[in-house]
Amino acid sequence: MKKSVKVAIIIAMILVSLAIAFVYVLKIMEKKNGQLSRDPMRAVYLEKDDGEGIFVNLEAEYPFYGTVPEDAVYDESGKKMAADNLDNGDVVDIYGNGMIAESYPAQYHGITEIRRTEQANQEYIRQYGHYLDEFFIEKDPSERPYLNVCYTDELAAASVMIPEPLSYTWTYEENGESNTVTTDAPHILQTSPVEVRKLSAPMQMELQFDEMPERIQIFSWEDALLGQEQNEAEQMPEGEAVAVQTNDKGNPEFVAQPGRVYLACGEWENGTVSYAFWTPDK
């Protein structure tokens, strides 16, 4: 074989290898950025009589909450249908950005389209119906709302639960009697707030309550002030008010800054509850 032909073959093989490697890198980058979204997730939708619902991934068999797009739900024939027409046991193909928040149950907010493939699969209802009893327990009237702080970074969507409120005043009825519980909490700077995420730059964050407050305010302090020793809480510096907006899911969101401590104060018909969390400087 002539030397020139060998050289041409070698060059061609190198070019093919480079092309394959380039495509592979692109796929990795697309997956990292949550763009491999056209391969649907097969799931079953489960719903209680009061309309509360949850999905179960049929391949990995884990439950998750999903934000259903109002104008992108289709039936078996491809005809657009109302989102609230999804029913208990319906099997669906879910398209989206593939970014599942790491919580339990998981949360999938990047859904862009849902296509129903089967209605009211009774076998799946029997197999996975226990999730409805697990996640939709009738709430104790004395129980305060809980809060998840959610964000999306370059790798995934995440959700951090704030396990206990910092303070609250809550009124509820039990056995026909009204009861009010009030906490005597320390100032936020004298506590150890839950760390949500270390930040090197501002990041959009979303507040998800199991029961939406009528009003929400957020205040922040420099985290260098944590652990201050003061005799009177009134001597502590006042927090700076943080701008809060409502996103397209109806949830409050704000821009978190590195090295800040946050106090989210919600107001409900039953009372007020405050939650503390922290975004350390990376």
Side-chain angles (χ1 to χ4, degrees):
M1 184 180 294
K2 292 183 178 180
K3 184 177 180 180
S4 60
V5 176
K6 288 183 178 180
V7 171
I9 292 175
I10 291 172
I11 292 174
M13 292 175 66
I14 292 173
L15 290 174
V16 170
S17 299
L18 288 174
I20 293 173
F22 180 71
V23 171
Y24 180 71
V25 170
L26 280 180
K27 286 185 177 293
I28 291 176
M29 293 303 296
E30 288 176 347
K31 185 173 183 180
K32 181 178 179 181
N33 293 324
Q35 299 300 319
L36 293 181
S37 59
R38 297 314 300 172
D39 292 333
M41 173 196 294
R42 179 62 59 90
V44 59
Y45 176 69
L46 302 172
E47 185 179 83
K48 292 188 67 177
D49 293 338
D50 60 6
E52 292 187 292
I54 196 168
F55 294 93
V56 177
N57 182 317
L58 291 176
E59 180 179 357
E61 295 190 309
Y62 63 80
F64 65 94
Y65 292 121
T67 304
V68 179
E70 292 294 331
D71 58 348
V73 181
Y74 302 88
D75 64 15
E76 296 87 333
S77 65
K79 183 179 178 180
K80 187 175 287 189
M81 58 182 280
D84 56 10
N85 282 346
L86 282 178
D87 205 355
N88 190 31
D90 285 356
V91 181
V92 296
D93 282 341
I94 297 177
Y95 297 83
N97 62 15
M99 302 178 76
I100 311 297
E102 298 176 359
S103 59
Y104 187 76
Q107 300 179 56
Y108 192 176
H109 302 305
I111 297 175
T112 57
E113 183 179 305
I114 291 179
R115 292 187 175 271
R116 188 175 66 192
T117 61
E118 182 183 350
Q119 297 186 51
N121 185 303
Q122 298 301 310
E123 179 181 348
Y124 288 150
I125 292 175
R126 287 191 294 271
Q127 185 174 355
Y128 301 112
H130 63 90
Y131 285 123
L132 291 175
D133 297 328
E134 180 178 344
F135 296 119
F136 299 110
I137 303 171
E138 186 174 348
K139 195 171 182 178
D140 187 319
S142 66
E143 187 177 347
R144 279 76 59 195
Y146 66 76
L147 169 64
N148 287 329
V149 181
C150 307
Y151 62 87
T152 300
D153 60 18
E154 65 278 5
L155 297 178
S159 178
V160 178
M161 177 178 284
I162 310 302
E164 292 292 337
L166 178 63
S167 62
Y168 56 86
T169 297
W170 199 252
T171 300
Y172 62 96
E173 287 193 7
E174 189 174 42
N175 300 324
E177 295 185 0
S178 179
N179 301 276
T180 299
V181 180
T182 301
T183 59
D184 184 18
H187 191 279
I188 186 173
L189 296 178
Q190 296 176 321
T191 68
S192 300
V194 175
E195 180 180 317
V196 172
R197 189 184 191 278
K198 289 183 172 65
L199 298 180
S200 57
M203 174 178 283
Q204 195 83 10
M205 291 193 176
E206 177 185 12
L207 303 183
Q208 292 186 352
F209 297 91
D210 66 324
E211 182 182 344
M212 188 64 69
E214 298 175 353
R215 185 167 179 257
I216 182 74
Q217 291 180 291
I218 301 177
F219 302 94
S220 77
W221 293 258
E222 293 182 10
D223 61 2
L225 299 174
L226 279 172
Q228 279 197 4
E229 294 295 334
Q230 300 279 355
N231 293 327
E232 299 293 337
E234 288 76 14
Q235 296 176 350
M236 291 291 188
E238 292 186 2
E240 298 177 11
V242 177
V244 182
Q245 296 181 330
T246 301
N247 61 21
D248 55 5
K249 294 178 286 187
N251 293 326
E253 64 180 17
F254 71 103
V255 177
Q257 303 288 340
R260 304 295 293 186
V261 179
Y262 291 95
L263 185 69
C265 306
E267 296 181 13
W268 287 262
E269 182 180 357
N270 296 71
T272 60
V273 186
S274 297
Y275 308 82
F277 54 94
W278 181 28
T279 55
D281 200 338
K282 196 170 185 177

